Amino acid sequence: MIVVLKPNISKKDEAAVIKEIKQLGYKPHVMRGVERTVIGAIGDERTHQTLEVLTSWAQVENVMPVQKRYKLVSREGHKENSQIDVRGTIIGGKKFQVMAGPCSVEDEKQIMATAVAVKKAGATILRGGAFKPRTSPYEFQGLGEKGLKLLAKARKETGLPVITELLSEAHSEMVAEYTDIIQIGARNAQNFQLLIAAAKTGKPIMLKRGLSMKIEEWLLAGEYVLSNGNPNLMFCERGIRTFETYTRNTLDLSAVPIVKNESHCPVVIDPSQGAGRSDLVSAMCKGAVAMGADALLIEVHPNPADARSDGAQQVTLEGFAKLMQELKPFIAAAGRE
Ligand code: PEP
Ligand code: MN
């Protein structure tokens, strides 16, 4: 059940509702929006007392059942878009955000040059992989903690918040110490123990769609984050596995309006893993903006031909600057800044 509180009620009134929900035998999950607070009350109504009594409370606007299997992620009880505050950069608000940087952090010179260039071109968040999920064990696995330290250095230098992937539960504290957003990659999108560990760090989470994941499964994976006490979740579409071979994956842009409709969480598009081809990145970014995405995640490398991972899909520093200019009218047409 979802308990919607009246706008702008006091902390004391909110606490009283939470206490009552617990007393009735439900687990409350509080989601504080800009205007109002919504409480997800998880519990089996067949064995617990009904929450209907709360409808008579002065501080409660509405009590309603959530029909969908994903409860806290669903827009049913949480009408307004969630906004995620990443050290002052808001994802899911009026401003369109661009996360950019190399697939892998390779060395200091590479990450610094990229960070400075993407910031100058208008990116608002720096991406970079330190722990890389590679298909082959013989391929570059990332610099690990050294890579995280370089990312932190680039953050200090540019002021850009950073996003990096968490590959293993064993690294959750370490990764959370250095990053502002935790990325859960496509290959781990249904690693539920990892999702719980990531949620518990308290950092905002970007959950990629798995290679062959249905949208409902993806939304349910997101439910693991919210139901473990972390309201700061965004979904990232990065292409799915199909029969098509012209592209590395098939970027499912229909996921944007579907997920925006089903959920209040922000939606990010990653055209780089999506197509696996740098020449397609620009067109897919424009499509993503038009579809209503809240942000983009773009791989950028000073010299893609020499990249230690995903060379074919990374755009150059100059290519990224040009792309950002090209995107401006599309962002404005979509009603974003
Ligand atoms: C990446 O962002 O470099 C990456 C490995 O992403 P995905 O999990 O979508 O393949
Ligand atoms: Mn990559």
Side-chain angles (χ1 to χ4, degrees):
M1 296 285 274
I2 292 284
V3 180
V4 184
L5 301 185
K6 294 241 171 83
N8 308 316
I9 64 157
S10 71
K11 279 261 173 290
K12 194 166 154 251
D13 282 344
E14 183 188 300
V17 177
I18 293 170
K19 193 169 163 217
E20 181 67 9
I21 291 173
K22 283 186 188 156
Q23 249 155 25
L24 291 168
Y26 294 82
K27 196 169 172 215
H29 289 277
V30 184
M31 293 178 278
R32 290 190 183 85
V34 181
E35 270 180 24
R36 67 179 78 231
T37 297
V38 171
I39 307 173
I42 307 293
D44 191 341
E45 280 198 83
R46 288 165 303 189
T47 52
H48 289 85
Q49 281 176 280
T50 172
L51 284 163
E52 298 290 334
V53 289
L54 284 169
T55 47
S56 62
W57 285 41
Q59 59 268 57
V60 174
E61 185 158 289
N62 201 0
V63 179
M64 54 187 156
V66 178
Q67 307 295 347
K68 298 281 164 69
R69 289 174 75 200
Y70 37 91
K71 310 284 178 194
L72 304 171
V73 155
S74 171
R75 206 183 261 287
E76 269 185 90
H78 192 300
K79 299 288 177 220
E80 59 184 270
N81 291 328
S82 275
Q83 298 190 7
I84 304 180
D85 187 340
V86 185
R87 294 201 304 125
T89 298
I90 309 291
I91 302 172
K94 180 122 175 108
K95 189 167 184 321
F96 190 83
Q97 305 293 356
V98 178
M99 313 179 190
C103 177
S104 300
V105 178
E106 297 172 4
D107 55 53
E108 182 164 345
K109 200 165 154 245
Q110 174 242 19
I111 188 67
M112 289 300 172
T114 312
V116 169
V118 298
K119 183 180 180 183
K120 186 158 173 256
T124 46
I125 296 168
L126 177 66
R127 73 146 277 153
F131 292 96
K132 295 303 301 176
R134 303 309 301 280
T135 301
S136 161
Y138 307 118
E139 288 165 350
F140 178 56
Q141 305 287 309
L143 296 179
E145 189 168 13
K146 187 173 164 219
L148 296 175
K149 287 189 170 147
L150 291 175
L151 266 181
K153 194 164 181 196
R155 171 174 70 184
K156 198 159 174 232
E157 186 82 18
T158 59
L160 291 176
V162 302
I163 176 168
T164 197
E165 179 165 354
L166 173 65
L167 260 192
S168 155
E169 268 174 84
H171 299 146
S172 55
E173 269 178 40
M174 186 214 294
V175 170
E177 191 187 319
Y178 293 101
T179 196
D180 300 299
I181 305 173
I182 290 178
Q183 171 174 324
I184 300 293
R187 290 155 192 83
N188 269 320
Q190 283 182 303
N191 182 341
F192 303 121
Q193 293 306 316
L194 182 66
L195 284 166
I196 293 168
K200 289 190 170 161
T201 66
K203 292 281 172 182
I205 309 290
M206 189 186 78
L207 173 60
K208 293 230 189 171
R209 182 174 180 184
L211 276 74
S212 57
M213 212 178 191
K214 293 202 246 176
I215 290 175
E216 189 188 24
E217 292 166 331
W218 187 23
L219 293 166
L220 281 164
E223 191 76 9
Y224 275 88
V225 174
L226 267 63
S227 68
N228 280 282
N230 189 335
N232 295 318
L233 170 71
M234 60 199 110
F235 290 99
C236 176
E237 162 66 41
R238 47 76 73 207
I240 48 175
R241 187 63 66 84
T242 69
F243 49 81
E244 184 52 66
T245 52
Y246 271 73
T247 47
R248 177 181 178 189
N249 294 296
T250 296
L251 186 71
D252 180 11
L253 281 182
S254 71
V256 180
I258 294 171
V259 175
K260 292 294 295 180
N261 213 18
E262 291 297 312
S263 172
H264 53 86
C265 298
V267 176
V268 183
I269 286 288
D270 172 354
S272 306
Q273 331 297 321
R277 288 172 47 169
S278 59
D279 61 328
L280 296 181
V281 167
S282 172
M284 295 201 294
C285 285
K286 291 167 189 161
V289 172
M291 286 280 182
D294 296 292
L296 291 165
L297 179 80
I298 305 172
E299 287 189 343
V300 184
H301 193 286
N303 187 2
D306 280 347
R308 298 188 74 181
S309 60
D310 289 350
Q313 67 198 34
Q314 303 203 59
V315 298
T316 60
L317 306 183
E318 303 74 40
F320 179 71
K322 184 166 167 273
L323 165 65
M324 290 296 279
Q325 287 305 319
E326 285 172 19
L327 280 182
K328 276 187 181 166
F330 289 85
I331 291 171
R336 311 295 279 259
E337 284 160 8

